Amino acid sequence: MNIPKIKFGENKITRLIVGGNPFCGNSHFSSQMSQDMSEYYTVEKVVEVLQQCEAFGINTVQARGDYHRVMYWLELFRRKGGKLHWIAQTASEMHDIKNNIRVIAAFGAIGIYFHGSRTDNMWHSGKIDEVQDYLKVMRDCGVQVGLGTHIPEVIEYTQDKGWDIDFYMACFYNLNRQIRESALVSGIETDEKFYKEDPPKMCKVIRSIDKPCLAFKILAAGRSCSSQEEVKAAFKWAFDNIKPTDAVVVGMFPKYLEQVRLNVEYTTSVSYTHLRAHETSLHLVCR
């Protein structure tokens, strides 16, 4: 399927990006679902689903930059001819994040972003400016430089300060109203709160800046998936409320449903409609 693409540095990436959390058994929904994902996603199954994504037209995967899982899976995927672009999250459990960034870049990531939960913890502790040291390492590595966050004010602050950033990994829901650690780092799942007033706040900030944003948790980590009508509506709302130069990141767990195919269909239908409306408005303004 011909999925719309956006410019990402020297590359073009699809507006639907497959997210890596399910591969690592991180559902952000329940311990039972996380366990189900962990059992489903054997090494072979991860490679198979990545191949499915590529076959359906997705050309980019977003996943954390750990050495023992993601890079191993991507290596096996590439050995089988896979060519997905990789946008990587720093792995906060590493003792040397700067070296982690260098390894990720050497492994072929086209973009790296500083882990959102760690960004937000530094925001809450008054140390947010220290994040720039890590972004400088990314810049030196020649990749697209990104910042992840769940807090709209973080994006506003870094934009106001003129930080050297190419893109944002922006969560629709503020899961970090206080200091917390990711389940993949701490090994402990927490009761995360998804408030319906959060997506409009984040989207308002996303639309206010000219940097590309990769919006994630558009389905509230499965909480907006009671029916396929609800899922499609969530895709439509997301594309209607971000910029045409933005993309969405969606985890895929096709154990019970053809999620890859369905998510691609929803993206192509609502994303193209949104782009045509945007082009029409530009024509009316410019003529």
Side-chain angles (χ1 to χ4, degrees), residues 45 52 81 91 95 99 102 116-117 134 138 170-171 177 185 202 216 220 223 227 239:
K45 185 59 71 173
Q52 285 181 29
H95 81 282
N99 192 51
R102 297 183 184 101
S117 293
Y134 300 95
M138 298 176 195
C171 188
R177 285 178 163 80
V185 175
M202 179 57 85
F216 66 107
R223 292 163 181 81
S227 69
F239 282 113

Side-chain angles (χ1 to χ4, degrees), residues 259-270:
Q259 287 188 3
V260 177
R261 176 181 62 81
L262 290 168
N263 290 342
V264 169
E265 288 179 356
Y266 300 152
T267 299
T268 53
S269 63
V270 302

Side-chain angles (χ1 to χ4, degrees), residues 1-3 5 14 16 51-60 84 260 264:
M1 296 184 184
N2 188 17
I3 305 172
K5 296 181 177 66
T14 45
L16 174 62
Q51 290 174 321
Q52 285 181 29
C53 291
E54 192 168 40
F56 275 104
I58 298 170
N59 77 350
T60 305
L84 292 176
V260 177
V264 169

Side-chain angles (χ1 to χ4, degrees), residues 34-286:
S34 294
Q35 181 64 31
D36 198 14
M37 288 177 172
S38 295
E39 293 173 356
Y40 176 77
Y41 271 121
T42 62
V43 172
E44 294 76 15
K45 185 59 71 173
V46 171
V47 174
E48 178 186 319
V49 172
L50 288 175
Q51 290 174 321
Q52 285 181 29
C53 291
E54 192 168 40
F56 275 104
I58 298 170
N59 77 350
T60 305
V61 57
Q62 171 275 322
R64 64 198 321 272
D66 60 37
Y67 311 149
H68 64 297
R69 287 176 297 195
V70 172
M71 290 191 194
Y72 175 59
W73 298 332
L74 288 175
E75 172 64 21
L76 296 179
F77 170 69
R78 290 169 179 173
R79 289 182 190 182
K80 292 180 177 292
K83 300 183 183 300
L84 292 176
H85 295 306
W86 178 34
I87 296 174
Q89 172 201 288
T90 55
S92 292
E93 72 275 13
M94 298 295 180
H95 81 282
D96 187 342
I97 303 300
K98 293 179 180 178
N99 192 51
N100 177 227
I101 292 168
R102 297 183 184 101
V103 172
I104 292 170
F107 197 73
I110 63 171
I112 303 173
Y113 68 91
F114 194 72
H115 185 192
S117 293
R118 189 56 57 88
T119 296
D120 299 340
N121 287 347
M122 296 180 80
W123 171 263
H124 288 307
S125 61
K127 299 179 180 179
I128 187 65
D129 288 341
E130 295 179 14
V131 175
Q132 292 183 92
D133 293 337
Y134 300 95
L135 303 182
K136 289 175 183 176
V137 177
M138 298 176 195
R139 181 63 69 205
D140 290 343
C141 289
V143 299
Q144 289 291 284
V145 176
L147 183 69
T149 185
H150 305 76
I151 304 174
E153 290 81 6
V154 169
I155 297 177
E156 293 176 323
Y157 175 84
T158 56
Q159 283 290 287
D160 289 343
K161 295 294 184 179
W163 282 25
D164 181 22
I165 293 174
D166 295 315
F167 72 98
Y168 288 91
M169 184 79 174
C171 188
F172 266 22
Y173 294 87
N174 185 357
L175 306 182
N176 285 6
R177 285 178 163 80
Q178 57 188 8
I179 291 178
R180 62 180 282 277
E181 199 59 85
S182 164
L184 284 175
V185 175
S186 68
I188 301 172
E189 293 207 30
T190 57
D191 182 22
E192 296 172 333
K193 304 298 184 183
F194 287 70
Y195 296 104
K196 64 181 181 181
E197 63 267 22
D198 282 350
K201 293 178 181 178
M202 179 57 85
C203 286
K204 181 179 179 181
V205 173
I206 287 174
R207 293 193 305 270
S208 73
I209 65 173
D210 59 2
K211 304 287 186 181
C213 294
L214 310 183
F216 66 107
K217 297 285 189 295
I218 71 165
L219 300 173
R223 292 163 181 81
S224 297
C225 299
S226 61
S227 69
Q228 287 308 298
E229 289 75 17
E230 185 179 23
V231 173
K232 186 173 182 178
F235 269 86
K236 184 179 187 308
W237 193 93
F239 282 113
D240 282 349
N241 286 276
I242 60 177
K243 304 186 299 296
T245 52
D246 300 326
V248 300
V249 179
V250 179
M252 312 279 183
F253 182 42
K255 180 177 180 179
Y256 304 103
L257 200 66
E258 294 182 87
Q259 287 188 3
V260 177
R261 176 181 62 81
L262 290 168
N263 290 342
V264 169
E265 288 179 356
Y266 300 152
T267 299
T268 53
S269 63
V270 302
S271 182
Y272 270 123
T273 300
H274 179 239
L275 283 173
R276 284 194 294 268
H278 176 72
E279 289 167 356
T280 299
S281 66
L282 284 179
H283 174 70
L284 292 173
V285 169
C286 297

